[in-house]
Each structure stands twice: as structure tokens, then as C-alpha cells.
Amino acid sequence: MQLSKVLIISLPIALTLLAGCASAPPYQRPAIALPAQFKQATAAAQDAGIWRPVQPQDAPAPEAWWRLYADPDLDRLQQQAASANPGIAQAVARLRAAQAAVAGSRAGLLPSLGASGAAIRARGAGSGSGAGTGNSYSLGLNASWELDLWGRLSGAVDASQAQAQASSADLAAARLSLQASLAQAYFALRTAEAQQRLLQESLAAYEQSWQLTRNRERAGVASSADVAQAEAQYKSTQAQLIEAGTSRAQLEHALAALLGLAPAAFDLPATGLLPAPPLVPAELPAELLRRRPDIAAAERRVAAANADLGVARTAYFPALTLSGAADYRGARLSDLVSAPQLFWSLGPALAATLFDGGARDASVESARAALDLATAGYRQSVLTALQEVEDNLAAATSLAQQQQVQTEAVAAAQRALDVVSNQYRAGTVAYLNVLSAQTTGLAARRSLIDVQGRRLVAVNTLLKNVAGRWESAESYQKQ
């Protein structure tokens, strides 16, 4: 009697201690050493002390960030892509599956209830009272409930919730990536159109020069070599125009794919106009990286892996299940539901694995490796984010300066062309001088359009790097 009392008292204490041992390790966001400011920050911004270490967290990207470009066509395309892109539909489906997994894991915390019924007609073998044909009927209910002593069930819920949060962040990242890719393809298409328009204007000017050279040849003041050079320049520019048209067509096909359309079903009227890029704040807080959904997804996967490790550890401990059953059994259906025919059972069951050949050890080690992998992936995501922002901060700043210098180069080339053209008409220089000035002018103008397009892409990529929005240091400090 004394021994049974000791067992009754000590069993709850032992179970409590074991439960503490089996719980998942406390989750902490992985630490990573980060600089206090971006390397590409201006000296004034660094001196102001407004740069802060990155602490990524789950935060949604802002809506309609592309409206910073003030381009109605881009707005319309973004809205169309949001509802028709197949990649977004895939991400939505993955999120739904993750949410269903959460509901499935939560169901394990609740008791299960089942019902059964059977009608059997059988004939016994041999002779005597056991021989002959008879009927038997049964109707029953059964219930079971596994007690979550070690946190196996709640750990599975935590893991599935973290995975669902990661899937939600993946959806946000897919939307952000689609928006940035669409904007980039759109800018490339408008850049190709601007090149087309420039080449068409140049062709018109070169045709006039070609005609002028032919007239001068007839008058005996120009050679056939001058005519051939003018023709070669015209034909070469015509070939460049064809190439620009091919690029524009291919980019339009790429836009159609992003919109979820067949290329034949999509047509975008040409404008040849490039939108103006928004100005990049000189004081861009590193805290903006908190909005990146890919970083949030990586962090949530670390949390899920941590919960999975806790679940794997519970395999070392027994499972305690409460079960009960009630059945009516009888030879006649009319007497089935009656008290004498009732059979019932109720009680706990404790099951434990004594030997598994090291399977549990392997499972725990696999879960620990998965946690290390997710942690390393999270840190890599943060470092990659920092690199991307630095790269595109440098590119956006450099290209803004290049655009200014290239604009000045275009103006200088045009002045040179005007002077040489007047001299050629006056007969003081050879046509080769005109040809050289025209070539230099066209190259300068094409380079300017190229720089404008690259600057749009760099700023657009930078906006994607900070999850679609930025604020100045002053607005950040007011938050």
C-alpha cells in the first residue's frame, strides 16, 4: 500500500520533469554582426548618426510603390499582373496549403471521436451448439485523446504556424519580385522605343545628307566616295533601327508573359518616352530592410526548424493516451440497444519505444542540422540584402552623375555637328568630317538613352531591395 502511494505521488512529478526536458529550445532570432550604416552612405548622413543596425522582422511591403514613377501605363500593367500572373497564383496556393497544415496540426490537440456499426451472418464449423448459422450485430462509439505532456503536438502546431508565416512572406516576396520585374521590363521596352525614335530621326537626317552628297557629286564638288560613305552610314543606322525594333518586340513578349497572357494577345502602344526616376534619398536608413519579405520568410523558417527540433526530442518519451469505447452487441437487431447488451471500456495507455536502432538519435540530429541550415540561410539573406542595397545605391548615384555628364556630351556633339555641317556646305571641309561628327553625335545620344534606362533599372532594383519604399532620415526619425 505504501509503495502504491509513493508511485501515485511520484508519477506526476516525474512526468513534469520529463516534460521540461522534452520541450523545444527557447527560440531567439539568430544574431548577426551588422554595420551601423551603409558603406555608400553620404558623409553627412553618417555624421548625423541616423544609421541603425538592421533588425529584420515580418512587415508587409507598401502598396503601389511603383506610382513613384507617375506613369499611367505602368500603373495599369501592374494592376493587370497582380490578378493574372501564374507565379502569384502558385504562391497563393502554397500559402493555402500551409494554412491547411496549421489547421491539421491543431486538430491533434483535440480528442478524436468515432462510430462503428456492423451486421454479420456466420456459420460455425463442426457439430454441437457451435454449429449452425447465426446473426450478430454491433453498434459502438470510441474516443481517444493523446495528452501533450512533452510538447510534441504543440510543437508541431508552432512549426506549422511558422511555416505558414513564411509562406505568407513568400507570397509578399513573389508579389514584390513580380512588380519589380514588370517595371524593369517596362523600362527596358520604353528604352528600346526611345532608341528607335532616335534612330528614325537620325535616318531622316542621314537621308538628307545622302541626298545632299549626291547633288554635290552631280555638281562636281563631291566624290563618289563621299556618296558611298553617306549611303553606308544610312544603311548602318537602318540596321540598328531593325535591331532596336526586335528588342522592343521581345520585351513586349516578356511583358505579356508577366501579365499571364500569350504574346499574340497583348499589345502596348509605343510612346518612346522614359519616365523620370524618383530621387534617391541621400540618407537612406538601414532600418528599411526590415520590410523585406524574403528576410521575414527566412527568419520564420528558423523558428519552424527550432520547433521541429523540439518535436524530434519528444520521441524519447512515452506517449500517454486516454481512450474509451462503448458498444452494443447482440444476436438480434431489435434487442441491440439495450442495457444487457452494453459493453464499455475506459482507461489510459502508455506507449514507449525501448529500442529503435538509433532512429530517434538520427531524427534529432537531422532536425538540428535543419535548424543550422535555416539559421545560415537567414544570415545569408540579410548579408545578400545588404550587398544588394549597397550595389544599387552606388549604381543609382553613379548613373545620375553619368546622365548629367552625358547630357553635356550630347550638347557638345551637336554643336560640333552644326559647325562641321556649315563648313561642309561652304566647301571648306571634306564629307568625312561630317560623317565623323554625325557618328559621334548619334553615339552620344544613344549613350544618353542607355544611361537613362540603366538608371531607371538601378533605382527600380533599389526600391525592390528596400521592399518598395524609402523615406528620408528626417521622416524616419519622426516615426
Side-chain angles (χ1 to χ4, degrees):
M1 180 65 68
Q2 295 298 325
L3 179 61
S4 62
K5 289 182 178 180
V6 171
L7 291 175
I8 293 173
I9 296 173
S10 61
L11 182 59
I13 299 175
L15 291 178
T16 303
L17 293 175
L18 288 174
C21 296
S23 61
Y27 174 69
Q28 292 182 346
R29 181 178 290 116
I32 182 171
L34 296 171
Q37 67 276 331
F38 290 116
K39 182 179 180 180
Q40 296 299 323
T42 64
Q46 294 182 19
D47 294 339
I50 56 89
W51 301 92
R52 305 186 183 185
V54 180
Q55 296 294 332
Q57 66 182 16
D58 191 2
E63 297 292 336
W65 55 267
W66 59 86
R67 290 181 181 171
L68 289 170
Y69 295 97
D71 189 313
D73 289 335
L74 180 59
D75 292 345
R76 177 175 55 84
L77 293 175
Q78 292 284 9
Q79 293 171 4
Q80 187 174 353
S83 60
N85 182 265
I88 299 301
Q90 291 175 346
V92 170
R94 283 191 288 267
L95 175 58
R96 289 170 52 204
Q99 291 171 337
V102 174
S105 62
R106 283 176 176 166
L109 295 171
L110 302 175
S112 61
L113 179 65
S116 62
I120 301 173
R121 182 174 178 81
R123 177 180 175 82
S127 59
S129 61
T133 301
N135 299 328
S136 63
Y137 302 92
S138 66
L139 180 66
L141 292 174
N142 58 82
S144 65
W145 182 27
E146 180 180 350
L147 301 182
D148 191 26
L149 295 178
W150 328 117
R152 183 182 70 84
L153 300 177
S154 58
V157 172
D158 292 341
S160 60
Q161 284 179 330
Q163 288 289 2
Q165 291 168 345
S167 295
S168 178
D170 286 338
L171 174 58
R175 284 175 174 154
L176 180 61
S177 180
L178 169 64
Q179 292 161 356
S181 297
L182 180 65
Q184 192 156 321
Y186 177 79
F187 297 147
L189 180 138
R190 293 306 189 201
T191 300
E193 290 177 356
Q195 295 282 10
Q196 279 184 295
R197 187 173 65 174
L198 171 61
L199 291 168
Q200 288 169 348
E201 294 172 354
S202 300
L203 272 180
Y206 294 166
E207 186 176 15
Q208 293 178 357
S209 297
W210 188 11
Q211 182 61 45
L212 175 62
T213 308
R214 289 199 299 266
N215 294 337
R216 290 173 64 85
E217 181 191 22
R218 295 189 190 99
V221 295
S223 66
S224 59
D226 292 341
V227 176
Q229 288 175 338
E231 181 180 5
Q233 183 185 46
Y234 179 85
K235 294 297 184 181
S236 176
T237 305
Q238 196 173 43
Q240 295 176 44
L241 177 60
I242 295 172
E243 181 183 2
T246 302
S247 298
R248 199 267 179 196
Q250 292 173 341
L251 289 165
E252 190 175 53
H253 301 163
L255 279 175
L258 291 172
L259 297 175
L261 299 173
F266 176 70
D267 181 65
L268 182 65
T271 64
L273 300 176
L274 288 171
L279 294 177
V280 179
E283 299 175 353
L284 192 62
E287 191 74 9
L288 289 174
L289 288 185
R290 294 174 55 154
R291 296 194 180 96
R292 283 187 56 142
D294 59 333
I295 293 179
E299 186 272 330
R300 287 290 82 202
R301 289 190 170 90
V302 177
N306 186 78
D308 285 335
L309 176 58
V311 172
R313 288 176 174 177
T314 62
Y316 290 107
F317 304 96
L320 179 61
T321 304
L322 300 179
S323 60
D327 296 272
Y328 286 100
R329 303 174 189 173
R332 293 189 302 176
L333 185 62
S334 59
D335 297 333
L336 180 61
V337 185
S338 60
Q341 310 298 331
L342 175 63
F343 299 85
W344 60 270
S345 63
L346 178 66
L350 195 65
T353 301
L354 300 179
F355 177 76
D356 61 3
R360 286 171 294 182
D361 293 342
S363 178
V364 171
E365 181 58 28
S366 176
R368 187 176 289 112
L371 176 58
D372 293 341
L373 179 63
T375 301
Y378 167 76
R379 289 172 175 160
Q380 184 60 58
S381 296
V382 175
L383 291 174
T384 300
L386 287 170
Q387 178 189 350
E388 290 173 347
V389 173
E390 296 282 13
D391 289 347
N392 288 289
L393 269 173
T397 302
S398 174
L399 288 168
Q401 296 170 351
Q402 288 184 47
Q403 182 174 338
Q404 177 62 35
V405 173
Q406 193 61 41
T407 301
E408 296 170 359
V410 168
Q414 185 60 47
R415 290 195 302 270
L417 178 58
D418 293 340
V419 171
V420 172
S421 297
N422 292 333
Q423 290 176 338
Y424 178 68
R425 291 188 182 93
T428 58
V429 298
Y431 183 72
L432 183 60
N433 298 77
V434 177
L435 185 64
S436 177
Q438 288 176 333
T439 302
T440 300
L442 177 59
R445 294 171 69 187
R446 292 202 68 178
S447 294
L448 177 58
I449 293 174
D450 179 65
V451 169
Q452 290 173 325
R454 289 164 53 202
R455 184 185 174 194
L456 278 168
V457 169
V459 173
N460 180 70
T461 306
L462 181 58
L463 273 165
K464 177 190 175 185
N465 296 154
V466 294
R469 185 174 61 196
W470 52 45
E471 293 93 0
S472 64
E474 291 77 8
S475 62
Y476 175 74
Q477 289 174 329
K478 293 177 182 178
Q479 293 180 355

